[in-house]
Amino acid sequence: MKAEVARDKLLSNFEVLQHINDIKRRQKQHSASRYRSALKTENFETILLELHTYLGDKSHSPAAKQSVNDIKSFMKEISIYDLEKAEKLQIINIAPTSLVTLYCLVEEYDQRFTEDEGNHMLQLVQTYLHPAPPPSQPET
């Protein structure tokens, strides 16, 4: 499969959640039938609901707790490291809590960064991106 049009911008889960909330807000404000019928396509409501459930307040997604200011501050602080845009996006979306996860998100991590730099990145994630708590382990 060949991409015919390159992406102009990548969106974080937080931005997608904001967009979904804006759509829902507009739907409530403009409950007129012409607006609803223009937005309503097959499965549109289902897609909105499932995305909101996945990214929203009741999920364990970091996007539910993030804010524009937090992400801006994180991006400013993380800019000292030579990370690609896609790597930064992955870090924002996943909000890793361990070096192992960070290692999986950053290409050639072991060749580009030291363990101390990785720990500093994780500290920035903790400070600004509000990662979800790790799932509790079942007792055996």
Side-chain angles (χ1 to χ4, degrees):
M1 179 182 249
K2 180 182 172 186
E4 293 186 20
V5 178
R7 281 183 258 173
D8 290 337
K9 183 178 178 186
L10 300 172
L11 296 175
S12 69
N13 290 348
F14 173 76
E15 291 168 311
V16 172
L17 182 60
Q18 272 190 322
H19 184 65
I20 291 169
N21 289 335
D22 288 344
I23 289 172
K24 286 183 162 203
R25 196 173 309 111
R26 277 186 264 141
Q27 282 180 336
K28 285 180 184 177
Q29 290 174 351
H30 300 94
S31 59
S33 61
R34 65 178 174 81
Y35 183 79
R36 275 199 162 296
S37 64
L39 281 179
K40 205 161 195 163
T41 61
E42 188 175 331
N43 299 324
F44 180 73
E45 294 293 329
T46 304
I47 292 168
L48 279 181
L49 178 65
E50 288 182 11
L51 268 171
H52 193 269
T53 301
Y54 179 74
L55 298 173
D57 295 331
K58 296 178 183 172
S59 73
H60 295 290
S61 170
K65 298 176 200 122
Q66 293 171 349
S67 72
V68 173
N69 290 335
D70 287 338
I71 293 174
K72 283 182 180 179
S73 298
F74 174 77
M75 291 298 286
K76 184 178 179 182
E77 295 276 340
I78 202 80
S79 67
I80 63 173
Y81 301 109
D82 186 27
L83 291 167
E84 298 292 324
K85 286 181 185 179
E87 292 169 336
K88 291 176 188 175
L89 179 67
Q90 286 286 75
I91 292 171
I92 290 169
N93 285 344
I94 295 172
T97 56
S98 69
L99 283 174
V100 173
T101 308
L102 187 61
Y103 184 91
C104 293
L105 300 177
V106 178
E107 190 173 336
E108 298 176 343
Y109 171 87
D110 58 337
Q111 297 171 8
R112 295 169 53 197
F113 304 106
T114 66
E115 187 174 338
D116 288 339
E117 290 171 326
N119 286 326
H120 182 249
M121 288 184 217
L122 291 176
Q123 184 182 20
L124 294 175
V125 168
Q126 276 291 344
T127 303
Y128 297 111
L129 300 182
H130 313 292
S136 59
Q137 297 294 326
E139 295 182 24
T140 56

